[in-house]
């Protein structure tokens, strides 16, 4: 908090002194690039934090500029401007949020699809602005837009832009540090894990995109009165591209990167465009070099140093709120479930049911459908026919985030966590899932949450208490255990574990066996484990289910299964 | 038959077939390398400028074909080596790098030729009577050439040893290396081939459109939508995708105007993303 | 004794930063078969992918015919005579059986004649796409493709998986022939009887490491099974 206030004071002081240092002309030029910088900050949020790239951000800038320009022309000097101008800045945010909900809902690779859709939209926006003469003034745009009432000289314009930039920067600085920021970076790294922690990823991404729309909107709404002219180019492809280049070269993942990029490149461009005829070509080449070799951008070299100096982790002093528990039921049932992938049948009428707490092992030869069974239960694979009931209600095809919130936890075969986040942040995503409300995600206190299960996990596995380590730096075995712990601190009632001992050493395997036994008793949960290691199965299983060719072949206690000839035929058949 | 109807049908055939050639280049590269080359449209643009360049040198129109191919082979080899291969395992960065490349090519051409529209003279100026409709013979020829090109390439893809190897790499890249297919060289040649196909389209289309540095954008977006609609699975998908996108756009544009055509296509693409994310003919 | 045809030492690697295989050593001489045994998920296939160049080594060295293999792509290793039949997805599903066999060569009838005579099911399905074959038939197709190639080293990853007993026996016969012709074999197997039938040496893996290695003649099925934890 103290560092945040210090940071704010320094920023405000720097912006206040700047015009005295550079003179009136440059102050005026800076004022324009500050507005672009605000829009570029939105690219930083989407691309540098949440990991998806909008290629058409200018449509929001342009939309706000037109709305603000029209308001100023038609309601000059009216008090209505007090409503209309903020409205002009917010409208693009709503539009972006809507587009985000629409596009991210289709659970596809958001990378190229999202980028191309936004690119197409910005071209469309340009065409509309260019051809809707009655409203937009067509190719010539809106001319003679009045300035903001009461502000006239260049220095006033500078201060308006500077204040807007400072407010946006401080808000973003806060959000980046808040749990929301951690969540965004988690989304960029591993959407699947975020969903399995109980967050609806498409809503998170739409919200970030909406926020970026507001930032572009603020820039655009102030642009109209400052430049007194709004043309279709403001919605167009070239400004969209520039905003991305500025963020990339300045440093998309850093706080100040987009601002540095916009101001530096913007002013260089204004200065050099006429002197060096190949300037734009050089700029494109610089962008390619940044993509290839310097992904952090300019500020990527500077900011991490300061962040490391100023970052102090909040102590875990606050017990997290309890998760809402609907019922004590821990059972589930698969009833004649069929799943196909292309022409291959994966589950062929699988019936499987458990009705109370305990440890259950799912075994079977390769391709028997064990992992697919989990995938069908958690909505990762479409179920063609049959029913899945979890805790007594029908849950066929329900999304993973919903299932996580009602108390289903899943660990994947290869450790699925957030490699670039710290151990502490990995835990926090697990703790916040299903517990944190919006205000917990925006405030700083939830960084300090803890829980009894977390404390016990850290006592069992001491490396989990080294919370400042990057999760990606842990060994494979440690990552397996960290993911297991993340699943467990969500306190699920149904725990699905896919080969929890894969790639673990003998000692680690033994520790994991004990941890599973402990937690499954502690949470009074149903634990279902897919496992190949028979030592593991013999030690843990209350009951074994044998899958073969997408169906249930046998079920029973360890002894019963060992005595079952059908099972032996399936397993040893190949080696007999 | 009503001449207006005939003209409209021919327009749709023209749109769809020329679009299919451009998409084919993009799709083969995407299928084999997993690289969405956002600069694909700029190769079309370069092809068009080659036609313009040849015209300024008072050479016959067809001389633009070898010029464009030469330029794109050199450029394609360099791009594959510098941008595509090092980013093989980073598809998102490839997307960005090729997007950067598209700007580079656009700005480069703009620095040489300026932003203004250039026009390339139509090599065949007469028109032909088709079922009562008077249709420009160059457009008709171009549609025929495009159909022949797509058909020929499909035939080659299905029949030739190289075509089989490309399909093998697409299906199972790991096994392909193990049976001795030189995967790296094949990927490089395919990339260059895709660029050449785009450039060839650019040359042939140049007389029928205003030649300007931004013209590639339109092609890359439409091509991308074709892949969204058709799916990445097969040639059937590609052709039906071209049919939907090219057909809808030319029909809507004919009855209303281009903005509506464009909007309709965009809405179709978003609906597909939403309701049928793997397209009409998904990859299995 | 001269240097073995194929040897690897300290082979360590996995996927990304994850290490699956740790410090595995082994060698095969010409005319010899080495079997890698172990239950599911202990890193046998990962070892094969490290040896064939599909995955980069984190450390260790692979030598074939006296030549270090580092930095060579799979197709370059194939060119030197290292033939690999993978476990998972062993054939090109979208190509016909005939196309699978003739992908890299003209329809060379002589080369395939004895193999196709031994596995007549393939002959019947030449025009069918390989994706429509059963799992076992795909394995046979992959085996035929590999066995007919002339490379000096054959790496087979679970060739008998899902294959009927009589065809497994035919495979064994061909592998004995290949040994007699001076080829070296490195075979991953779960089928103990099949493995012991062919193997001169055995490597047993567990948790990514070698837990037992030696001459096949000195091992019984029981010792092996005990080390495999099955």
């Amino acid at each position: 908090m103290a560092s945040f206030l210090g940071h704010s004071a320094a920023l405000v002081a720097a912006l206040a002194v700047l015009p005295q240092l550079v003179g009136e002309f440059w102050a005026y030029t800076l004022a324009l690039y500050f507005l672009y910088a605000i829009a570029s900050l939105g690219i930083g949020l989407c691309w540098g934090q949440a990991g998806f790239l909008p290629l058409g951000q200018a449509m929001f800038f342009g939309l706000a500029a037109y709305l603000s320009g029209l308001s100023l022309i038609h309601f000059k000097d009216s008090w209505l401007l007090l409503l209309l101008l903020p409205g002009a800045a917010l409208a693009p945010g709503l539009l972006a949020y809507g587009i985000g909900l629409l596009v991210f809902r289709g659970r596809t690779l958001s990378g190229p699809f999202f980028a191309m859709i936004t690119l197409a939209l910005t071209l469309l926006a340009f065409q509309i602005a260019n051809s809707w003469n009655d409203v937009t003034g067509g190719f010539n745009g809106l001319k003679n837009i009045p300035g903001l009432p009461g502000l006239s000289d260049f220095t006033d314009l500078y201060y308006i832009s500077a204040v807007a930039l400072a407010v946006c920067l401080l808000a973003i600085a806060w959000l980046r540090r808040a749990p929301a920021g951690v969540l965004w970076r988690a989304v960029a790294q591993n959407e699947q894990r975020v969903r399995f922690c109980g967050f609806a990823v498409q809503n998170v991404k739409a919200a970030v995109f909406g926020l970026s729309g507001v930032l572009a909107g603020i820039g655009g709404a102030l642009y109209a009165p400052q430049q007194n002219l709004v043309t279709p180019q403001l919605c167009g492809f070239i400004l969209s591209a520039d905003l991305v280049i500025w963020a990339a070269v300045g440093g998309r993942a850093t706080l100040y990167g987009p601002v540095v990029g916009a101001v530096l490149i913007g002013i260089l461009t204004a200065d050099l465009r006429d002197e060096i005829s190949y300037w734009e070509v050089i700029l494109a080449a610089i962008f390619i070099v940044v993509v290839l070799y310097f992904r952090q951008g300019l500020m990527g070299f500077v900011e991490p140093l300061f962040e490391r100096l100023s970052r102090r982790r909040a102590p875990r002093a606050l017990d997290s709120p309890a998760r809402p528990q609907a019922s004590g039921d821990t059972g589930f049932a698969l009833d004649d479930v069929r799943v196909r992938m292309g022409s291959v049948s994966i589950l062929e009428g699988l019936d499987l049911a458990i009705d109370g707490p305990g440890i259950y092992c799912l075994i079977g030869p390769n391709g028997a459908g064990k992992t697919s069974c989990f995938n069908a239960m958690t909505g990762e694979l479409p179920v063609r026919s049959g029913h899945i009931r979890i805790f007594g209600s029908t849950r066929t095809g329900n999304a993973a985030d919903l299932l996580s919130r009602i108390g289903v936890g899943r660990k994947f075969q290869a450790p699925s966590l957030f490699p670039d986040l710290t151990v502490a942040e990995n835990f926090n995503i697990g703790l916040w899932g299903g517990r944190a409300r919006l205000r917990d995600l925006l405030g700083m206190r939830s960084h300090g949450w803890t829980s009894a299960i977390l404390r016990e996990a850290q006592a069992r596995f001491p490396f989990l208490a080294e919370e400042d380590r990057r999760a990606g730096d842990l060994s494979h075995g440690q990552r397996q255990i960290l993911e297991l712990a993340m699943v467990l601190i969500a306190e699920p009632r149904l725990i699905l574990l896919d080969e929890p001992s894969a790639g673990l050493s003998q000692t680690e395997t033994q520790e994991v066996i004990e941890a599973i036994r402990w937690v499954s008793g502690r949470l009074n949960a149903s634990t279902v484990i897919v496992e190949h290691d028979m030592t593991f199965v013999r030690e843990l299983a209350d009951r074994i289910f044998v899958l073969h060719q997408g169906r249930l072949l046998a079920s029973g206690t360890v002894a019963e299964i060992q005595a079952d000839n059908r099972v032996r035929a399936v397993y040893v058949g190949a080696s007999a | 038959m009503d001449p207006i109807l005939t003209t409209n049908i021919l327009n749709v055939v023209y749109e769809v077939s020329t679009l299919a050639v451009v998409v084919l280049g993009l799709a083969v590269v995407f299928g084999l390398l997993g690289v969405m080359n956002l600069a694909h449209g700029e190769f079309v643009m370069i092809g068009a400028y080659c036609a313009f360049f040849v015209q300024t040198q008072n050479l016959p129109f067809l001389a633009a074909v070898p010029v464009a191919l030469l330029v794109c082979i050199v450029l394609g080899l360099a791009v594959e080596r510098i941008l595509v291969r090092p980013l093989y395992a980073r598809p998102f960065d490839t997307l960005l790098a090729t997007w950067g490349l598209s700007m580079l090519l656009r700005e480069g051409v703009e620095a040489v030729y300026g932003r203004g529209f250039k026009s390339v003279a139509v090599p065949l100026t007469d028109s032909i009577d088709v079922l009562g409709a008077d249709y420009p013979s160059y457009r008709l020829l171009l549609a025929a050439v495009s159909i022949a090109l797509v058909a020929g390439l499909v035939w080659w893809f299905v029949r030739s040893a190289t075509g089989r190897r490309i399909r093998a790499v697409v299906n199972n890249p790991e096994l392909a290396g193990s049976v001795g297919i030189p995967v790296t060289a094949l990927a490089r040649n395919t990339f260059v081939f895709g660029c050449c196909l785009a450039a060839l389209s650019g040359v042939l289309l140049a007389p029928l459109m205003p030649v300007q540095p931004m013209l590639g954008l339109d092609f890359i977006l439409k091509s991308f939508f074709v892949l969204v609609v058709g799916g990445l699975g097969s040639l059937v998908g590609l052709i039906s995708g071209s049919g939907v996108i090219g057909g809808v756009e030319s029909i809507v544009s004919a009855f209303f105007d281009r903005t509506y055509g464009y909007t309709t296509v965009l809405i179709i693409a978003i609906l597909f993303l939403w309701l049928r994310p793997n397209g009409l003919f998904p990859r299995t | 004794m001269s240097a073995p045809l194929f040897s690897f030492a300290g082979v360590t690697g996995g996927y990304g930063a994850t290490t699956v295989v740790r410090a595995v050593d082994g060698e095969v001489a010409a005319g010899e078969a080495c079997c890698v045994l172990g239950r599911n998920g202990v890193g046998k296939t990962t070892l094969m992918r490290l040896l064939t160049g599909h995955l980069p080594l984190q450390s260790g060295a692979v030598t074939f015919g006296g030549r270090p293999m580092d930095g060579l792509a799979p197709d370059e290793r194939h060119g030197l005579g290292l033939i690999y039949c993978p476990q998972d997805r062993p054939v090109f599903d979208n190509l016909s059986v005939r196309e699978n066999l003739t992908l890299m060569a003209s329809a060379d009838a002589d080369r395939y004649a004895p193999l196709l005579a031994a596995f007549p099911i393939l002959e019947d399905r030449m025009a069918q796409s390989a994706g429509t074959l059963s799992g076992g038939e795909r394995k046979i197709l992959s085996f035929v493709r590999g066995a007919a190639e002339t490379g000096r080293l054959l790496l087979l990853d679970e060739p008998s998986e899902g294959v009927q007993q009589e065809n497994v026996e035919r495979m064994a016969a061909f592998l004995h022939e290949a040994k007699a012709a001076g080829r070296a074999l490195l075979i991953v197997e779960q089928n103990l009887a099949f493995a012991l039938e062919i193997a001169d040496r055995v490597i047993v893996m567990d948790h990514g490491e070698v837990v037992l290695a030696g001459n096949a003649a000195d091992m019984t099925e029981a010792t092996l099974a005990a080390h495999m934890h099955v």
Side-chain angles (χ1 to χ4, degrees), chain C residues 87 144 179 183 211 222-223 229:
Chain C
Q87 183 224 336
V144 167
K179 269 166 56 175
R183 294 178 82 180
V211 289
T223 1
H229 288 280

Side-chain angles (χ1 to χ4, degrees), chain B residues 159-226:
Chain B
R159 285 313 187 78
S160 74
T162 311
R164 263 201 302 279
R165 287 176 198 164
I166 291 176
R167 281 184 288 143
V169 176
V170 171
N171 179 254
N172 194 337
E174 173 150 337
L175 182 60
S178 287
V179 303
I181 299 176
V183 180
T184 314
L186 194 65
R188 179 194 63 215
N189 295 345
T190 305
F191 184 82
V192 172
F193 173 78
C195 297
C196 287
L197 212 51
L200 186 65
S201 307
V203 171
L204 298 178
L205 288 167
L208 299 178
M209 60 186 178
V211 175
Q212 43 99 6
M214 304 278 275
L215 72 83
L217 275 176
D218 201 32
F219 284 100
I220 183 66
L221 278 171
K222 264 197 266 175
S223 307
F224 182 77
F225 292 155
V226 167

Side-chain angles (χ1 to χ4, degrees), chain A residues 366 476 504 532-533 574-575, chain C residues 18 22 39-40 191-192 207:
Chain A
N366 270 349
H476 177 72
L504 296 191
H532 282 299
D533 188 338
S575 67
Chain C
T18 306
R22 297 186 189 87
R39 62 181 167 80
N40 269 339
N191 182 334
L192 274 183
H207 289 280

Side-chain angles (χ1 to χ4, degrees), chain A residues 215-232:
Chain A
L215 289 166
I218 294 173
L222 292 173
Y223 179 96
Q226 193 195 66
Q227 298 291 314
N228 313 111
L229 172 72
V230 175
T231 58

Side-chain angles (χ1 to χ4, degrees), chain B residues 47-69:
Chain B
Y49 272 94
C50 286
F52 175 71
F53 169 76
V54 162
Q55 178 178 281
T56 58
Q57 304 300 308
N58 291 319
L59 290 167
F61 174 71
L62 282 179
V65 173
V67 172
L69 293 184

Side-chain angles (χ1 to χ4, degrees), chain B residues 158 161 164-165 167-169 171-172 174-184, chain C residues 49 54 74-75 78 84 86 89-95 99 102-104 145 149:
Chain B
V158 174
R164 263 201 302 279
R165 287 176 198 164
R167 281 184 288 143
V169 176
N171 179 254
N172 194 337
E174 173 150 337
L175 182 60
S178 287
V179 303
I181 299 176
V183 180
T184 314
Chain C
R49 303 186 66 211
H54 289 291
D75 58 286
H78 176 272
Y84 172 47
R89 307 197 59 208
V91 298
F92 298 106
D93 298 334
N94 62 343
L95 301 187
E99 286 175 323
T102 58
L103 189 60
M104 296 311 291
R145 194 267 305 158
E149 292 206 50

